[in-house]
Amino acid sequence: MTASETTTTADLIVEGATLDGATVDVVVRDGRIAALGPGAAGGVTAPERIAAAGGLITPPFTEPHSHPDKALSRRSIGPLGLPARLTERPALMQRQRDLKATFTRDEVAGRAGAFLRLAASQGVGTVAGQADIDTVTGLTSFEGVMDAREAHADLVELRVTAFPQEGLVQDPGAYDLVAAALAAGAHRVGGWPNNERSFEDQLTHLDQVFELAERFGVGIDINVDYFTDPTERLLEPLAERTVAHGMQGLVNANHVGALETYPDDDARRVIAKVAEAGIVVTVCPSNLGGSYPYRGVSRANELLAAGVTVAAGTGNLQDNWEPFGNLDPMDTARMAWHAFPLSDEDDRGVATAWQLVTGHAARAAGVPYGELRAGGRADFTVLAATTLTDALRNEPGPRRLVRGGRVVAGRAGELWTAPAPAGTR
């Protein structure tokens, strides 16, 4: 290939996309962005072209909180003869134990793989996923998720958290299982300290999570103060331990619903400590229902105002806890716009909602947020929507995920149609 051919041929071209308010072309060669800018594709040929028609181009979305080992397992509740309609937490917990006791490595890998393919079709390039590790499922769920991760590495980057759902104190043996998962490649250590039986055991759980994080040199992805219950008070000791262990910026806290119920003075004190500790808070807007007490969306606006990075994720998907979900970041962002609420911020609220599933979500997952630039890796998502507001409206249209310079997944555009009455236009 001659020098002139090198500059006039490419592997993929995106024409007429919207980036930061400007119309640009993107030229991809050898897995990297060779050129980016207005008219950059002029005179360049490629075997594959995307006519963006003004659609937004963005680094791939990030799903910051999910459970791929449990995803799509709800369909097994009936065949296993488990109770179908439950709302109270103890009964839901027992049904989850009964479900995961039947999990096999291959079955988990199959469901987790379908979960990752769904994520990719929505333009998600990185998923932070927790895998249960306890004496009920052992390492089965973790190993199945890791198998799915390897099989789908070209589609999605899956960051796996070793998650002791049943506790570390009340589930003897879980600590060693979590350590084994971390030794086998888990990216972060998780926890749910509120699930322990006493406050002293809850603090021990926290301490063991930090001990494991330091031992294996990993970050922390912890579920804390799950419910809108004012007696749940572990966010503050989490922040204090984060500073004491020098782990600022390395801790993601999920749910944090109890913060909603604190007296305002207590909430301000705790939020200031969370900000000092550099803890990212990830909430799930769909958690406004489905269990009692509901899990809420924390004090998201107050956290944001204090400088805390707040992300929004899916949480559970078609499993014991949640019958719905489609992993679409635009649905998550729109629900957050309503739930926080961000509506009083007008257009700024839409931009904030977008950040919850892009840059902020990447921080929550513990990965850098990519920048689209010439010379950078060609990882991006192309949407049909031309503005952030239209993106959150989630109107029909194609969406494509590009990773390493190849279109690896996406969804086809469909039109909403209905016959117009005679005589109308």
Side-chain angles (χ1 to χ4, degrees), residues 20-272:
D20 298 330
T23 301
V24 301
D25 297 340
V26 181
V27 178
V28 174
R29 189 180 297 116
D30 297 330
R32 308 196 78 79
I33 297 175
L36 184 154
V44 182
T45 63
E48 189 165 15
R49 303 176 82 93
I50 296 174
L56 298 171
I57 187 168
T58 179
F61 297 112
T62 296
E63 169 52 63
H65 179 59
S66 66
H67 298 273
D69 60 323
K70 301 184 179 91
L72 306 172
S73 62
R74 194 174 186 88
R75 65 190 66 169
S76 299
I77 290 174
L80 290 172
L82 301 176
R85 291 188 179 137
L86 299 174
T87 57
E88 298 296 330
R89 174 178 163 188
L92 283 163
M93 286 293 296
Q94 186 56 54
R95 189 172 69 180
Q96 181 61 65
R97 294 186 196 100
D98 294 339
L99 262 176
K100 67 186 174 185
T102 70
F103 289 176
T104 67
R105 179 170 177 170
D106 287 346
E107 187 258 346
V108 170
R111 286 188 291 97
F115 172 94
L116 293 176
R117 293 191 297 275
L118 176 59
S121 75
Q122 302 285 23
V124 175
T126 301
V127 169
Q130 295 184 337
D132 278 21
I133 295 172
D134 47 56
T135 56
V136 178
T137 186
L139 292 175
T140 295
S141 292
F142 166 73
E143 290 169 344
V145 167
M146 292 295 280
D147 289 345
R149 176 182 185 270
E150 181 178 357
H152 294 80
D154 289 344
L155 291 181
V156 179
E157 179 184 3
L158 175 60
R159 308 284 295 178
V160 181
T161 295
F163 177 51
Q165 166 104 44
E166 306 297 329
L168 287 169
V169 178
Q170 71 172 350
D171 185 22
Y175 180 96
D176 289 339
L177 287 167
V178 171
L182 291 166
H187 300 92
R188 292 189 290 184
V189 59
W192 183 14
N194 303 88
N195 199 29
E196 303 287 0
R197 294 190 179 96
S198 69
F199 187 65
E200 291 73 20
D201 286 351
Q202 292 170 0
L203 294 179
T204 299
H205 183 121
L206 273 181
D207 289 334
Q208 291 185 353
V209 167
F210 278 92
E211 179 183 308
L212 285 163
E214 291 182 327
R215 176 178 163 190
F216 289 95
V218 297
I220 292 172
D221 175 36
I222 191 167
N223 298 358
V224 65
D225 296 352
Y226 237 75
F227 297 100
T228 48
D229 177 351
T231 68
E232 295 200 341
R233 291 278 180 153
L234 291 174
L235 181 60
E236 187 169 19
L238 173 67
E240 292 168 348
R241 281 160 172 76
T242 299
V243 173
H245 287 265
M247 290 193 65
Q248 293 94 324
L250 297 174
V251 176
N252 176 64
N254 299 300
H255 300 291
V256 195
L259 188 62
E260 289 187 35
T261 67
Y262 292 3
D264 289 345
D265 287 346
D266 286 357
R268 279 191 290 270
R269 182 188 70 251
V270 174
I271 288 171

Side-chain angles (χ1 to χ4, degrees), residues 370-401:
E371 177 187 359
L372 299 186
R373 59 178 179 80
R377 182 177 156 94
D379 293 344
F380 50 81
T381 295
V382 183
L383 290 81
T386 60
T387 68
L388 297 186
T389 299
D390 280 346
L392 267 63
R393 287 173 177 150
N394 214 356
E395 295 174 350
R399 191 180 300 180
R400 299 175 181 88
L401 174 65

Side-chain angles (χ1 to χ4, degrees), residues 287-369:
N287 283 167
L288 291 175
S291 63
Y292 182 81
Y294 77 92
R295 288 179 271 180
V297 290
S298 194
R299 293 188 180 226
N301 290 342
E302 293 166 61
L303 288 159
L304 287 165
V308 176
T309 298
V310 177
T314 293
N316 298 87
L317 183 136
Q318 300 178 36
D319 63 5
N320 176 64
W321 302 95
E322 169 62 63
F324 307 119
N326 59 13
L327 288 176
D328 191 332
M330 296 299 90
D331 285 351
T332 300
R334 187 176 66 255
M335 282 191 287
W337 186 89
H338 287 288
F340 281 19
L342 297 168
S343 54
D344 61 348
E345 295 192 17
D346 207 19
D347 287 346
R348 289 187 298 115
V350 172
T352 299
W354 177 266
Q355 279 294 314
L356 300 174
V357 296
T358 55
H360 289 196
R363 279 201 61 191
V367 298
Y369 183 56

